[in-house]
Amino acid sequence: MKNKLNACIIDDIDEGKYISRLLKKEFPEFEIDLQTKCILFDSDYFSKNSTDILLIDIHYFDENDLEILEKLQENDFSIILITESEKSAIQAIKRGFIHYIFKPLKNLDFVLTVNKALEKFRKNRISPFSGFQNKINLPTLQGFKRVNVDEIIRCEADSNYTFIYLSDRSKVMVSKTLCDFEKNLSEYNFFRIHHKHLINLEHLKEYIKGKGGQVVMADNSVLDVSIRKKNEFLHKMA
C-alpha cells in the first residue's frame, strides 16, 4: 500500500503554484504535478502517470469539453473542479460532478473538499477485490485475530485498551489505544465522532439530531457525537 498520493493540478502558473502550496501544506503525503495547459486532450497522460486526484480550473474548457471530463470519472481518481462561477458549478453538478470549490480558495473549504474527494480512492483501497491489503491483525492474549477492515463496525476506547466490535457480533479487546486505531483506519473511511468512539462510516445506519447528535450503527448501538466533531462529521456525510 503506497504512502504517497499523486495530484495533478491544471491551472495557470500563479494560481497553480498557490494551490500546490496549499495542498502540500495540508496534505504533505501528496506528490504534485502542476500543468499549465489542458492535458485532458492528451489521451496518454493518465495512462502514463499515476493520479489519485485531479484539480482543474473549469475555465480551461467550455461546456462541450465536459464530456471529456465525464469519461475521466470512470477512472479510479477523483476530480475537483475549481471555479469562480456558480453557474459553471451548477452545470458541472448536472453532469455528475460532485466535488468543486470556488475561488478565491478558503483554507477550510479546500481541506474538506479534498478529504471528501479522496473517499473514492480510500474506498478502492478496501474493495473486496483488493486481496490481503484490506486485512489487519488484532492482537489478543492468545495471539492475534486477522479480520477484514470492512468487518469492523466501530472501535471504543477503554483507558489504554480498545474494544473492536465486528459485523459477526463478536467483540475483541486489544491492548492499543483508540488513537492507534484512528491513525491506521482513518484512510479506510473511519471517523472519530467522540473521544471514545471511532466508527466505520460504511456501517452507519442513522444520524439523530441533537446538540452534538447521535449515530445508530449496524449493530444497533447508539453513540454520541461530540459537539466539537459535529460539523466535520455532517460535512463528511453530505
Side-chain angles (χ1 to χ4, degrees), residues 21-229:
R21 288 194 299 269
L22 183 56
L23 186 64
K24 198 68 176 178
K25 175 186 175 184
E26 301 294 341
F27 300 89
E29 66 270 28
F30 270 106
E31 297 290 345
I32 299 169
D33 180 22
L34 173 59
Q35 296 283 334
T36 56
K37 65 180 187 302
C38 189
I39 57 171
L40 297 181
F41 304 100
D42 181 357
S43 59
D44 292 333
Y45 179 86
F46 294 105
S47 61
K48 293 179 180 177
N49 296 273
S50 175
T51 304
D52 297 309
I53 191 167
L54 170 66
L55 300 98
I56 179 168
D57 193 311
I58 205 167
H59 86 263
Y60 269 83
F61 47 88
D62 58 32
E63 186 176 353
N64 294 327
D65 297 329
L66 282 173
E67 294 180 3
I68 300 173
L69 268 181
E70 282 184 287
K71 291 181 180 179
L72 287 179
Q73 287 190 106
E74 298 172 3
N75 290 286
D76 289 338
F77 57 81
S78 294
I79 299 171
I80 296 178
L81 300 182
I82 304 169
T83 179
E84 297 176 355
S85 164
E86 185 173 332
K87 181 181 178 181
S88 296
I90 292 172
Q91 290 175 344
I93 291 170
K94 288 180 178 178
R95 288 179 173 264
F97 296 95
I98 59 174
H99 305 302
Y100 61 90
I101 191 167
F102 290 102
K103 288 184 177 180
L105 300 184
K106 296 180 180 178
N107 191 293
L108 179 59
D109 289 342
F110 180 80
V111 171
L112 292 175
T113 301
V114 172
N115 267 322
K116 189 70 176 176
L118 283 174
E119 286 183 11
K120 179 178 179 180
F121 170 72
R122 290 167 181 150
K123 287 178 180 178
N124 286 338
R125 279 185 165 187
I126 59 173
S127 160
F129 305 104
S130 60
F132 68 88
Q133 290 186 345
N134 64 333
K135 288 183 177 289
I136 62 170
N137 296 332
L138 302 178
T140 65
L141 293 176
Q142 295 77 29
F144 63 85
K145 184 170 183 176
R146 191 160 174 80
V147 302
N148 286 314
V149 171
D150 54 10
E151 291 179 58
I152 301 174
I153 295 175
R154 60 189 180 93
C155 309
E156 182 175 339
D158 185 352
S159 187
N160 290 326
Y161 293 87
T162 300
F163 286 101
I164 311 297
Y165 293 81
L166 302 173
S167 56
D168 65 0
R169 303 291 180 176
S170 65
K171 179 173 71 173
V172 182
M173 186 179 75
V174 181
S175 58
K176 288 187 176 183
T177 67
L178 192 61
C179 286
D180 291 326
F181 283 98
E182 183 180 13
K183 291 175 184 176
N184 291 321
L185 294 176
S186 59
E187 64 184 283
Y188 295 105
N189 208 25
F190 280 67
F191 184 80
R192 192 165 182 173
I193 58 169
H194 188 279
H195 73 275
K196 285 192 66 174
H197 303 299
L198 176 71
I199 65 170
N200 184 345
L201 296 176
E202 299 299 324
H203 288 286
L204 175 67
K205 287 175 60 177
E206 183 180 355
Y207 172 73
I208 303 169
K209 291 181 179 179
K211 196 169 184 180
Q214 294 178 312
V215 295
V216 181
M217 301 302 295
D219 60 355
N220 292 320
S221 56
V222 180
L223 312 174
D224 290 332
V225 178
S226 71
I227 297 173
R228 183 174 61 88
K229 288 285 191 177

